[in-house]
Amino acid sequence: MRDAHGAAGIFGGSYGWSSAGRFHHARTQLRRFLFSGGGCVDQTGNYSWGAAQFILPHVIGTHAPVNGLVTDWPSVVEHTGVLLAFGGLALKNGQVTSGGAGEHTMAQWLRAARARGVRVVVVSPTRADAPAFLDAEWLPIRPNTDAALMLAAAYTLVAEGLHDAAFLERCCVGFAPFRDYLIGATDGVAKSADWAAPICEVPAETIRALARRLAAERSMITVTWSLQRAHRGEQPYWAAIALAALLGHIGLPGGGFAFGHGSMNGVGNPRVPLAAPEFPARMNPAARAIPVARFVDMLLAPRAPFEFNGRTDYYPDVRLVYWAGGNPFHHHQDLNRLVRAWQRPETVIVHESWWTATAKHADIVLPATTPLERNDVGGGSRDRFVFAMHQAIAPVAASRNDFDIFRELASRLGHEAAFAEGRSEMQWLRWMWDGVRESAAAHEVALPGFNAFWEAGYAEVPPPQRPFVLFEQFRADPAAHPLATPSGRIELYSERIAGFGYDDCPPHPAWLPPVEWLGAAEAARFPIHLLTVQPPDRLHSQMDPGPLAQANKVAGREPLRLNPADASRRGIAAGDVVRVFNARGACLAGAELDAGVRPGVAVMATGAWYSASADGLELSGNPNVLSADIGTSRLAQGPSALSVLVEIERYPGTAPASRALEPPALASRP
Ligand SMILES: Nc1nc2c(c(=O)[nH]1)N[C@H]1C(S)=C(S)[C@@H](COP(=O)(O)OP(=O)(O)OC[C@H]3O[C@@H](n4cnc5c(=O)[nH]c(N)nc54)[C@H](O)[C@@H]3O)O[C@H]1N2
Ligand SMILES: Nc1nc2c(c(=O)[nH]1)N[C@H]1C(S)=C(S)[C@@H](COP(=O)(O)OP(=O)(O)OC[C@H]3O[C@@H](n4cnc5c(=O)[nH]c(N)nc54)[C@H](O)[C@@H]3O)O[C@H]1N2
Ligand SMILES: [Mo]
């Protein structure tokens, strides 16, 4: 393949979480293997915060608030008056962090905030996003309309003279054109609370009262990642920053904006910013990558142009797809389209530990070990613990570590030295630990040598001495500590984005109706907005066949929660098998009734193992047969997983069982 088609013929982006251990991180192993052998087509960005990663640098000069530090919990507990949480603060999401969690901190910080009297307002289509102990106020918003609510709150501040003119003058650019948009000078539409109320179905007086409250108290606006994993997902993020800028609390203790408090464990966790353990993939000599969620477009339209963040590029003509550590038949949108695209490459190679749908759809499957069968080091950038992951059992049957598989392939291809650098598994773990230790020393944290760490099983990094406040120095002296934006300040209007000329991402935050939402014409045919959220009982699709996830299934499928009124109108009772469908596909699910889901909305977790009947009905309850495979905008090209309209009906008769756990038909066995 390399001789015939070069690096552009080999796709090795291989998006996916793999496992917590940082050395045996399959995706990194694969990319390092392909990079050291001449390069491949890589993926840039991720499914988690794909829109945020590319819009935020234009606005605040960095995307660090989604992958690094935000104003930490001690600062919030001490100083925040009102915590406004878009997308909520669901404890289910706080179980997980990439690299693994040494301590689960979300619930304890929320309890501390509550005890200190921080008032929490949760904006979400589902009540379950706020733990009961928070006693939060719940604003049940229509999905994908948060930008309208944020703009209306901003309008209210301006109309009532409650905005912080001094902060806007000192720390921001572009307030004037943004204000012109808010008051309707540019398009004749004032973005008032009365304008927003019918869009988001939050009463106008509630929006006005919220804006006044945010101005009267020290306020922190936090936004889950889910809001930007939707069509036009750039807008609620930019609008939240603009609203926080108008309030003028950015850079003050417990004030400003943050992302992801309700998305992942450790967000806001106080931590000295030392490096997490890392095994380097190194550089891709082919310097070629596509936006992460566009890989099906790439397979279906080789050589077609696409736009991305101000540039036009061309999809490569990929002949070989190599995946290790990800499950595209779980994570990608519009799986029926993926099934078609998957027929295009000449060869698909997958490393897996389990017979996932991705493995079943591969030409060559190499069985990989699980974390129990190897030694590793875990830890993440938000967690104070680094942990030794000791091998518990010998590799099962013919399975091997991804590293060992790639090392042997590299040896046959003549680039083993570049791939493995002569180090064994344990030598790499030592090398990685030394990196953590050196970084810790630079932050004046002393960590033990490898042997002591390995024996103890973990190392704990003490919490930092003083709270971290995002943009504290910038606020104190914007000239001395400029942001990495063209102006050095927060951009409420971006000349650079204006230069892109994108109508789907204008140069200031705006309300752009998404392609599918409850206000769209399409809602006449498909009147339910389906939210496809992170599962409470597993990590994505991992361990779905295991007893924990299986015990929570309803009628043998993934549960679907909907409002009792919507259910009774359709003759659906709790425990029924339902068929969820739209023009893209259909899946089965097990009905659960929940008055805490606002009418017109249904909720399903992602991750049920894809299993389709001969006529294309998905049987396990994988909602990605319903989601749309379109970019958030030409700017970020992020996944739009959460903009999905569907209809739901009771499944008549006896539904066919899921075939997800049936063994594949093999051409040969090792
Ligand atoms: N509709 C919808 N879709 C979504 C989302 C959504 O909100 N809605 N969320 C998106 C998000 S944020 C994400 S992060 C993605 C997650 O998508 P993925 O990260 O692709 O999902 P996982 O199920 O974690 O897949 C990891 C795979 O790696 C395998 N694996 C684990 N360890 C190893 C190993 O050591 N070696 C090898 N070779 N394989 C291993 C596992 O068995 C599993 O099949 O899903 C995205 N998809
Ligand atoms: N248990 C568990 N936790 C996880 C994961 C997992 O697989 N399992 N995956 C992890 C990963 S990889 C990621 S990226 C994060 C993702 O973190 P998020 O993207 O924040 O997680 P979601 O569960 O998709 O969404 C959070 C909540 O947002 C609400 N919501 C959805 N749409 C809207 C909307 O339009 N407006 C408003 N206001 N609210 C909305 C939903 O009710 C949902 O419960 O989760 C992480 N945490
Ligand atoms: Mo994610």
Side-chain angles (χ1 to χ4, degrees), residues 143-179:
N144 286 192
T145 66
D146 302 79
L149 191 155
M150 293 165 179
L151 292 168
Y155 173 94
T156 304
L157 296 177
V158 172
E160 302 188 4
L162 296 172
H163 59 292
D164 186 338
F167 180 82
L168 292 166
E169 176 65 30
R170 241 167 36 85
C171 296
C172 305
V173 294
F175 175 57
F178 177 56
R179 184 195 49 213

Side-chain angles (χ1 to χ4, degrees), residues 109-485:
W109 286 115
L110 286 175
R111 283 184 192 279
R114 176 77 192 113
R116 194 82 206 310
V118 178
R119 299 293 309 167
V120 181
V121 180
V122 161
V123 181
S124 166
T126 69
R127 187 193 287 278
D129 284 340
F133 68 76
L134 271 184
D135 202 14
E137 191 180 322
W138 177 39
L139 304 184
I141 194 170
R142 268 174 154 180
N144 286 192
T145 66
D146 302 79
L149 191 155
M150 293 165 179
L151 292 168
Y155 173 94
T156 304
L157 296 177
V158 172
E160 302 188 4
L162 296 172
H163 59 292
D164 186 338
F167 180 82
L168 292 166
E169 176 65 30
R170 241 167 36 85
C171 296
C172 305
V173 294
F175 175 57
F178 177 56
R179 184 195 49 213
D180 285 349
Y181 170 75
L182 282 181
I183 64 175
T186 39
D187 60 1
V189 181
K191 312 304 174 303
S192 66
D194 292 305
W195 162 82
I199 296 173
C200 56
E201 291 188 346
V202 174
E205 200 38 57
T206 306
I207 300 174
R208 281 189 284 265
L210 177 66
R212 292 176 197 132
R213 217 169 128 197
L214 293 171
E217 296 180 62
R218 179 64 53 82
S219 50
M220 170 63 83
I221 300 170
T222 184
V223 188
T224 51
W225 300 340
S226 54
L227 267 74
Q228 54 82 66
R229 201 178 310 109
H231 198 228
R232 308 298 179 242
E234 296 83 4
Q235 302 310 318
Y237 266 43
W238 201 352
I241 294 170
L243 176 58
L246 264 67
L247 290 163
H249 302 168
I250 295 170
L252 294 178
F257 65 87
F259 303 112
H261 278 107
S263 301
M264 199 171 278
N265 181 61
V267 174
N269 197 29
R271 181 183 181 275
V272 179
L274 55 90
E278 197 197 341
F279 175 66
R282 313 230 313 235
M283 295 290 284
N284 180 7
R288 195 119 198 222
I290 58 158
V292 67
R294 301 273 55 83
F295 84 93
V296 167
D297 286 2
M298 173 196 77
L299 293 177
L300 288 175
R303 292 180 295 277
F306 66 94
E307 288 176 281
F308 176 44
N309 208 8
R311 288 178 289 119
T312 300
D313 203 344
Y314 293 84
Y315 289 123
D317 186 357
V318 160
R319 307 300 181 98
L320 168 69
V321 168
Y322 205 140
W323 225 293
N327 187 0
F329 282 78
H330 147 66
H331 71 231
H332 197 62
Q333 283 64 67
D334 198 350
L335 291 179
N336 290 315
R337 191 166 180 258
L338 169 65
V339 170
R340 288 194 297 279
W342 205 254
Q343 316 305 317
R344 294 290 187 95
E346 291 163 35
T347 306
V348 177
I349 308 174
V350 168
H351 293 193
E352 253 298 347
S353 318
W354 314 100
W355 278 117
T356 62
T358 302
K360 286 184 188 172
H361 283 81
D363 297 299
I364 299 171
V365 181
L366 298 171
T369 53
T370 63
L372 296 174
E373 303 162 68
R374 61 205 185 200
N375 292 300
D376 214 330
V377 172
S381 61
R382 300 184 176 92
D383 196 273
R384 292 195 300 110
F385 292 81
V386 185
F387 30 94
M389 301 169 66
H390 298 150
Q391 181 174 350
I393 56 169
V396 171
S399 62
R400 304 183 66 181
N401 298 337
D402 297 281
F403 174 69
D404 297 326
I405 297 171
F406 288 129
R407 181 175 213 157
E408 256 196 54
L409 288 175
S411 147
R412 291 174 201 194
L413 292 163
H415 61 90
E416 185 189 349
F419 171 71
E421 293 184 57
R423 292 190 190 94
S424 66
E425 175 191 72
M426 285 313 284
Q427 285 168 328
W428 272 112
L429 299 190
R430 265 173 206 281
W431 183 90
M432 288 165 60
W433 173 254
D434 288 346
V436 173
R437 211 168 155 224
E438 275 164 35
S439 168
H443 287 93
E444 283 160 22
V445 173
L447 291 179
F450 179 79
N451 291 344
F453 157 71
W454 192 251
E455 192 140 314
Y458 69 94
E460 179 175 0
V461 178
Q465 300 290 318
R466 72 184 286 277
F468 175 79
V469 175
L470 183 69
F471 295 155
E472 188 176 27
Q473 291 183 315
F474 162 69
R475 182 198 177 93
D477 190 344
H481 303 281
L483 303 183
T485 54

Side-chain angles (χ1 to χ4, degrees), residues 355-670:
W355 278 117
T356 62
T358 302
K360 286 184 188 172
H361 283 81
D363 297 299
I364 299 171
V365 181
L366 298 171
T369 53
T370 63
L372 296 174
E373 303 162 68
R374 61 205 185 200
N375 292 300
D376 214 330
V377 172
S381 61
R382 300 184 176 92
D383 196 273
R384 292 195 300 110
F385 292 81
V386 185
F387 30 94
M389 301 169 66
H390 298 150
Q391 181 174 350
I393 56 169
V396 171
S399 62
R400 304 183 66 181
N401 298 337
D402 297 281
F403 174 69
D404 297 326
I405 297 171
F406 288 129
R407 181 175 213 157
E408 256 196 54
L409 288 175
S411 147
R412 291 174 201 194
L413 292 163
H415 61 90
E416 185 189 349
F419 171 71
E421 293 184 57
R423 292 190 190 94
S424 66
E425 175 191 72
M426 285 313 284
Q427 285 168 328
W428 272 112
L429 299 190
R430 265 173 206 281
W431 183 90
M432 288 165 60
W433 173 254
D434 288 346
V436 173
R437 211 168 155 224
E438 275 164 35
S439 168
H443 287 93
E444 283 160 22
V445 173
L447 291 179
F450 179 79
N451 291 344
F453 157 71
W454 192 251
E455 192 140 314
Y458 69 94
E460 179 175 0
V461 178
Q465 300 290 318
R466 72 184 286 277
F468 175 79
V469 175
L470 183 69
F471 295 155
E472 188 176 27
Q473 291 183 315
F474 162 69
R475 182 198 177 93
D477 190 344
H481 303 281
L483 303 183
T485 54
S487 63
R489 308 208 210 147
I490 298 170
E491 304 219 344
L492 305 184
Y493 182 96
S494 164
E495 294 288 354
R496 197 191 274 156
I497 293 178
F500 297 166
Y502 293 156
D503 57 357
D504 55 0
C505 191
H508 56 74
W511 162 246
L512 304 175
V515 51
E516 289 182 30
W517 67 297
L518 291 172
E522 188 78 344
R525 211 157 50 118
F526 301 113
I528 301 281
H529 193 125
L530 179 69
L531 301 179
T532 56
V533 303
Q534 305 295 329
D537 51 8
R538 58 181 178 259
L539 173 64
H540 312 135
S541 69
Q542 300 193 41
M543 303 291 168
D544 185 52
L548 177 64
Q550 288 299 317
N552 293 334
K553 303 282 177 184
V554 173
R557 344 264 155 181
E558 195 60 26
L560 171 141
R561 285 190 287 134
L562 80 169
N563 187 278
D566 287 324
S568 78
R569 200 167 304 132
R570 291 167 176 78
I572 296 168
D576 282 351
V577 176
V578 291
R579 181 173 162 267
V580 194
F581 62 98
N582 61 20
R584 287 177 291 269
C587 72
L588 299 182
E592 276 181 358
L593 310 192
D594 181 352
V597 174
R598 62 157 286 151
V601 169
V603 185
M604 277 179 86
T606 59
W609 279 20
Y610 172 86
S611 156
S613 69
D615 53 0
L617 175 65
E618 202 289 323
L619 303 169
S620 312
N622 185 323
N624 269 329
V625 295
L626 303 160
S627 51
D629 185 12
I630 48 172
T632 51
S633 78
R634 285 178 284 169
L635 187 130
Q637 293 285 12
S640 301
L642 273 89
S643 305
V644 196
L645 290 177
V646 299
E647 180 52 294
I648 304 171
E649 64 181 19
R650 199 168 157 269
Y651 188 85
T654 311
S658 163
R659 300 172 53 200
L661 298 189
E662 280 178 17
L666 290 178
S668 66
R669 285 176 187 277

